[in-house]
Amino acid sequence: MAQRHSLTIPYGAPVLAISFLACVATGLELSINNHAADFPLSTTSGSSVSLSCLVHNSSQAENLLWYRGDGQVGLKDGNKVNISHICIHPVNESDNGVTFTCRLARDKSVQVSVTLDVKFPPQLSGEETLQIEEEKDVTLTCNSKSNPQAQTTWYKDNNDLTLQEGRYVLRQTSEVFQLSITKVQKSDNGTYTCVVESSLGKGTKDFHLIIEEAVITAVVVVAIAIFFGIVARRDKFCKCFKKSNSETAL
């Protein structure tokens, strides 16, 4: 005779485990904008995004919670039971990559999430003036965020920049674009333009690089000039002194 097995829950089992079993038994689940599984949502900066969380297969009133990242979103009364809506307006660059999660209040393991993929063009503008002594190193830095990721091009005095091997180094990450020049020379004087461009647009920034004569060199030149000036006048002083000694006082 076949043995009959029954599912028993030990006395004192955690409430979370009981809730989970109840959800499994009833098929209780949540969806955001008709998605029952986590999903990405593409949008653009400046637009609005509406998110609707709905309880499925529930035989009772269920309270819902919303989270932006790890922080809970405040909901008004009447926007918490069985269905809940939130609106992000306007969407901006800081919302890119942020996850919004809807959770069942009595069992937070029942949840569904959406991650925003916010598209926006490079944001780069303005100008900067840098004064640097000859033979010193300098780095020009463009900080720019964009989605999709942008490409950068450097120009000097509105012409394509010719990179001198060993002196010019380009570095690039997703948000930082740098041009480093080793031991600057007078010929490096000019306006350098950083152009950051993606499929959504471009941004530019000018760097006015002014190469100054090294202070130490200038001081040495002045000191030498003063020294030789003193030497030249010393000969005149000596001649005048000798002449004075040869005269007869009256």
Side-chain angles (χ1 to χ4, degrees), residues 214-233:
V215 174
I216 295 178
T217 302
V219 170
V220 171
V221 170
V222 172
I224 292 175
I226 294 174
F227 173 76
F228 280 109
I230 293 175
V231 170
R233 292 188 54 90

Side-chain angles (χ1 to χ4, degrees), residues 47-231:
S47 63
S48 297
V49 170
S50 295
L51 303 176
S52 296
C53 181
L54 179 64
V55 178
H56 298 272
N57 305 321
S58 174
S59 59
Q60 65 183 57
E62 298 285 0
N63 285 324
L64 297 171
L65 305 173
W66 275 102
Y67 291 82
R68 183 187 191 276
D70 294 327
Q72 188 171 344
V73 178
L75 299 174
K76 295 181 179 180
D77 292 337
N79 188 28
K80 301 177 181 179
V81 181
N82 289 343
I83 186 169
S84 180
H85 311 277
I86 61 172
C87 180
I88 303 99
H89 175 78
V91 174
N92 58 48
E93 295 78 8
S94 65
D95 295 315
N96 185 45
V98 173
T99 297
F100 289 84
T101 303
C102 179
R103 293 187 174 120
L104 199 66
R106 67 180 175 89
D107 182 1
K108 295 183 179 62
S109 67
V110 179
Q111 64 177 40
V112 62
S113 299
V114 55
T115 301
L116 298 188
D117 178 24
V118 183
K119 307 293 185 183
F120 57 95
Q123 297 180 330
L124 181 67
S125 63
E127 58 184 84
E128 186 176 340
T129 299
L130 299 100
Q131 295 178 307
I132 189 76
E133 293 180 6
E134 282 185 283
E135 298 299 313
K136 294 292 183 65
D137 299 339
V138 66
T139 296
L140 314 181
T141 301
C142 285
N143 294 297
S144 176
K145 293 183 179 181
S146 64
N147 184 27
Q149 187 173 341
Q151 296 296 320
T152 182
T153 307
W154 285 91
Y155 297 90
K156 181 185 178 186
D157 298 327
N158 295 321
N159 297 311
D160 290 340
L161 177 62
T162 301
L163 300 179
Q164 299 180 28
E165 186 175 355
R167 291 190 62 238
Y168 288 62
V169 177
L170 295 178
R171 298 182 181 88
Q172 177 175 335
T173 66
S174 60
E175 298 180 3
V176 179
F177 309 93
Q178 291 183 326
L179 168 65
S180 296
I181 307 174
T182 303
K183 295 185 177 181
V184 296
Q185 305 169 359
K186 280 290 186 180
S187 59
D188 293 319
N189 262 317
T191 299
Y192 294 78
T193 303
C194 172
V195 179
V196 183
E197 188 169 10
S198 75
S199 58
L200 298 180
K202 70 178 181 180
T204 63
K205 182 176 181 179
D206 289 334
F207 296 85
H208 305 293
L209 188 60
I210 301 173
I211 311 303
E212 299 177 329
E213 187 176 0
V215 174
I216 295 178
T217 302
V219 170
V220 171
V221 170
V222 172
I224 292 175
I226 294 174
F227 173 76
F228 280 109
I230 293 175
V231 170

